[in-house]
Amino acid sequence: DETTTTAAAETTTTAAAAETTTTEAASTDTTEAMAPEEIEGALTGMTVVDENTFTVELTNPDPEFPLRLAYAAYFAMPESAFDDPAAFEEMPIGSGPFKMAAPWEHDVLISLERYEDYQGPDPAKIDTFDFEIIAEIATAYNEALAGNLDVMASVPTENLSTYQDDFPDRNNDVYTTSFAYLGFPTYLPQFTKEHRQALSMAVDREAIAEKIFLGGRDAAHSVIPPNLQGRDDVCPSWNYDPEMAKELWDAAGDPGPITVWFNSGAGHEDWIEAVVNFWGQNLGIDTSTITFESLEFSEYLPVLDNQEATGPFRLGWGQDYPSPYNFLEPLYASYNAPPVGSNNTFYNNPDFDAALAAGVEKVAASGLLEDGLADYYAAEDILCEDAQVMPVYFGKTQYVWSEDVSEVWIDAYNDLGYTLIESQDGNVTQDVSEPEHLFPTTSNESEGISVLRAIYAPLINFNAKTNEQYSVHAESITSEDGGSTWTIALNPGWTFHDGTPITAADYVRTWSFGADGANGQQNNSFYSN
């Protein structure tokens, strides 16, 4: 759920950001060009120029393209990954500052060690890093209190009043780009537009932020975070208006029994219960008739993807890259419904899609994000009016650490700065829930992404302490035609953890695998352009 200040405000001028965070294209490698058809199933928009250079031709110009490349969908994987993806993710071969020290021990441990041959500008400062898989957030906090856990990246709700005393001088509270919402599946026709609006307008988000989270969250009346140019007031559907909510609810009629879904073990019970209590208080619903369904996160997501949720469901989102567009298109564009995207409500409104497309076109024409904001806001207005989702709060994260570690920073992705942290004994442990996947082209949930960001090197990244963008495997990312075609030059001499060289062909092969619908990769939509 949460991050440090934000990587957004300084990097929202798309084309300019691309120019200031990359160097001049300067690949000195003279390896003979490799035809794209030599790579089985290669995307027609990707061409290998030489061993360390490839080009990406987009269907539509996108000056924001370089900002996306820190996300897991764009990590390169070795060719061996595609022989048996399920087997590969038991002990993935990465390219980053840490490598797997042993196979993934499900529901117990993911153990990493420093990769000594890492060529990046951000090598690890510790010897080993262990992700302790702990299903219950309360259990993790107790482990941290007992000194058995070095970092806990999200303090439980019930400990927000005590964590600063429990961990004096070893805690932090930072804003993030994350937010939490309730989604209303379109495949449940009993929840009409009026029902959805009423359920949303009946909830006092400010009260939840203050009383449940003790100010540790901010009320959300938008789906775009405030530190990514989000607005305070989008439309009445996302504001607290109990009188209008009751009027709408009574006019719409009884929709029948309600079941609310959420993932267990992450501290969501209290605020979900508060939402339901507001429904009872302001709509006259007998809350004893409302049931709750909860599953561990790795089991929960497939239920949503398979349209098996029988009522409103809880989900959250954090940036894949710092742009308002990233909080609209992946979650609500009609073409991003599962299994190829994260539109778990299966929302489908052509006017919403058209408004987003108009914004992208304007940004591409000028290279300035501000020129697309009016259309992005128009799309959000449509989404708000339809009330297919109900934003509840924007994220901050409160995190704590042990006396053994220092330089503990949570970044804009709500992940630890793995290469900044230091430890007296050379080892760091952190809690994580059981991931759904450890495979970059299909991992799009927070737990798996957290692990992948430690073991894979992106083309570019953001510093967890300063939020400044910097190049990692990319030597340069340049475009000479306004963002239609990009040339990506790689820093030479890099290897995967098994010692095999990382080449331009690996990026083409990886992205092409993710883009092929037959492979069923959940990050498929990230290659749609």
Side-chain angles (χ1 to χ4, degrees):
D1 279 27
E2 298 45 275
T3 85
T4 61
T5 48
T6 179
E10 295 79 20
T11 46
T12 50
T13 54
T14 57
E19 292 173 2
T20 58
T21 57
T22 58
T23 60
E24 292 298 319
S27 176
T28 57
D29 194 288
T30 57
T31 305
E32 184 178 350
M34 183 178 183
E37 54 267 22
E38 291 183 25
I39 300 173
E40 184 178 355
L43 287 166
T44 55
M46 297 184 73
T47 302
V48 174
V49 177
D50 57 44
E51 186 175 1
N52 291 314
T53 312
F54 64 101
T55 60
V56 182
E57 183 181 356
L58 304 180
T59 304
N60 299 297
D62 181 11
E64 294 188 2
F65 181 68
L67 298 180
R68 304 171 186 262
L69 300 180
Y71 185 58
Y74 302 104
F75 298 162
M77 288 185 282
E79 192 169 2
S80 61
F82 313 111
D83 296 334
D84 187 343
F88 179 83
E89 64 179 321
E90 293 303 306
M91 192 169 177
I93 299 168
S95 55
F98 291 95
K99 66 178 183 178
M100 297 285 287
W104 176 4
E105 191 175 352
H106 289 271
D107 296 308
V108 178
L109 179 70
I110 298 172
S111 184
L112 313 181
E113 61 186 2
R114 181 171 58 208
Y115 179 44
E116 299 295 348
D117 292 330
Y118 178 62
Q119 298 296 309
D122 50 352
K125 297 179 179 178
I126 57 176
D127 299 321
T128 57
F129 193 103
D130 290 332
F131 287 97
E132 302 277 356
I133 300 176
I134 303 175
E136 296 292 332
I137 191 172
T139 301
Y141 191 80
N142 289 332
E143 288 296 297
L145 273 175
N148 299 326
L149 199 63
D150 287 316
V151 178
M152 185 171 189
S154 184
V155 170
T157 304
E158 59 266 29
N159 299 109
L160 289 176
S161 63
T162 64
Y163 78 96
Q164 291 174 317
D165 293 329
D166 292 340
F167 296 87
D169 302 320
R170 292 180 284 114
N171 68 82
N172 203 359
D173 177 11
V174 293
Y175 275 98
T176 75
T177 58
S178 69
F179 86 111
Y181 67 93
L182 287 183
F184 300 96
T186 58
Y187 53 83
L188 300 178
Q190 67 266 38
F191 292 103
T192 67
K193 175 179 171 180
E194 289 72 27
H195 286 116
R196 300 190 302 266
Q197 290 174 324
L199 289 167
S200 177
M201 296 167 73
V203 175
D204 187 344
R205 295 153 172 83
E206 277 78 13
I208 289 175
E210 290 302 319
K211 294 181 180 180
I212 301 296
F213 294 107
L214 305 180
R217 308 287 187 274
D218 284 352
H221 302 281
S222 165
V223 296
I224 303 173
N227 47 14
L228 286 178
Q229 305 196 40
R231 297 175 288 172
D232 292 330
D233 185 5
V234 176
C235 84
S237 294
W238 291 341
N239 292 338
Y240 182 48
D241 189 340
E243 291 79 15
M244 179 58 70
K246 186 67 163 66
E247 183 178 326
L248 285 167
W249 186 259
D250 289 345
D254 185 1
I258 298 175
T259 301
V260 182
W261 291 73
F262 60 95
N263 56 295
S264 62
H268 298 303
E269 290 83 357
D270 289 345
W271 73 264
I272 292 290
E273 184 177 351
V275 166
V276 169
N277 287 338
F278 277 119
W279 290 347
Q281 172 185 317
N282 294 322
L283 301 178
I285 300 173
D286 180 359
T287 57
S288 68
T289 66
I290 297 179
T291 56
F292 300 92
E293 290 284 350
S294 62
L295 295 167
E296 289 190 17
F297 203 47
S298 60
E299 300 173 343
Y300 180 69
L301 291 177
V303 168
L304 304 186
D305 289 348
N306 296 330
Q307 300 189 29
E308 295 171 355
T310 55
F313 61 83
R314 174 269 161 195
L315 267 184
W317 190 255
Q319 71 167 39
D320 302 317
Y321 58 95
S323 169
Y325 184 77
N326 184 229
F327 285 78
L328 296 169
E329 194 260 1
L331 292 174
Y332 316 114
S334 61
Y335 48 84
N336 280 336
V340 300
S342 299
N343 179 0
N344 287 104
T345 62
F346 293 81
Y347 181 64
N348 186 346
N349 188 320
D351 293 335
F352 175 88
D353 291 350
L356 278 186
V360 169
E361 184 175 350
K362 290 175 183 175
V363 172
S366 69
L368 298 174
L369 173 61
E370 61 192 41
D371 290 344
L373 283 178
D375 292 295
Y376 294 162
Y377 291 155
E380 189 185 27
D381 290 341
I382 295 167
L383 180 68
C384 182
E385 176 65 22
D386 287 342
Q388 204 70 56
V389 297
M390 170 187 149
V392 179
Y393 62 79
F394 290 118
K396 299 177 185 177
T397 192
Q398 296 77 32
Y399 61 99
V400 297
W401 58 90
S402 73
E403 295 178 348
D404 186 59
V405 298
S406 59
E407 292 300 312
V408 186
W409 303 95
I410 300 293
D411 67 14
Y413 294 90
N414 197 38
D415 291 327
L416 185 68
Y418 301 109
T419 61
L420 298 179
I421 193 166
E422 300 178 10
S423 172
Q424 294 179 31
D425 65 4
N427 173 254
V428 171
T429 57
Q430 180 190 334
D431 67 303
V432 69
S433 296
E434 171 75 357
E436 182 182 15
H437 289 289
L438 291 182
F439 200 81
T441 55
T442 205
S443 292
N444 63 3
E445 41 81 26
S446 58
E447 310 307 283
I449 294 293
S450 294
V451 178
L452 292 176
R453 292 191 68 222
I455 62 177
Y456 281 90
L459 289 162
I460 63 103
N461 209 346
F462 297 90
N463 183 284
K465 182 177 181 179
T466 67
N467 289 307
E468 294 177 350
Q469 187 176 334
Y470 65 98
S471 292
V472 186
H473 194 202
E475 182 180 82
S476 65
I477 305 171
T478 56
S479 177
E480 297 180 355
D481 59 6
S484 291
T485 303
W486 294 88
T487 299
I488 300 177
L490 305 175
N491 284 307
W494 281 52
T495 62
F496 289 109
H497 294 155
D498 63 356
T500 60
I502 308 174
T503 69
D506 291 307
Y507 282 93
V508 175
R509 190 177 293 109
T510 300
W511 299 5
S512 299
F513 179 87
D516 187 343
N519 294 323
Q521 300 298 283
Q522 294 184 87
N523 283 328
N524 175 279
S525 63
F526 284 88
Y527 320 101
S528 60
N529 198 20

